[in-house]
Amino acid sequence: MIIRKAKVEDAKSMVEINVNTWKVAYKGLLPDEILDNRNVTEKRIEHSREFIKTKNKIHFVAEENGEVVEKNYVLSAEEEIGLKQLDAMKEEITH
């Protein structure tokens, strides 16, 4: 397995992974209708292409036998702070 920076050409594979992950991870938690309607579309692929081009994130894929099998990205410092703030707000609301 090779871990490398994502390229724009990886966008479709990244969307396929995202769609399939949602269908498995959220089965029984979200209505089937929502998951059934989550598909690989040209709009999602284009969004993924733009996401890959984003300069404030570093996007990675895992490649096995020439096929992208996993995806991930590193958040910018500002995004990490934002997520920590959201977590703190959720904690405050639930307690």
Side-chain angles (χ1 to χ4, degrees), residues 37-74:
N37 289 325
R38 191 161 181 87
N39 297 304
V40 176
T41 63
E42 193 54 45
K43 183 178 179 179
R44 286 184 198 268
I45 294 168
E46 185 55 37
H47 177 75
S48 186
R49 286 183 190 117
E50 294 303 316
F51 193 65
I52 292 166
K53 293 177 191 176
T54 303
K55 300 293 183 209
N56 65 341
K57 292 183 183 73
I58 302 171
H59 307 275
F60 296 96
V61 294
E63 190 178 279
E64 196 167 77
N65 300 321
E67 182 179 335
V68 174
V69 295
E70 188 55 72
K71 66 173 185 70
N72 214 327
Y73 63 93
V74 177

Side-chain angles (χ1 to χ4, degrees), residues 5-36:
K5 283 188 176 181
K7 300 179 279 191
V8 173
E9 297 81 26
D10 297 320
K12 183 177 181 190
S13 296
M14 293 171 70
V15 171
E16 289 169 348
I17 290 166
N18 179 269
V19 166
N20 292 332
T21 300
W22 266 68
K23 288 184 177 187
V24 171
Y26 295 109
K27 185 158 183 71
L29 298 172
L30 292 175
D32 288 343
E33 181 181 333
I34 290 173
L35 298 175
D36 291 343

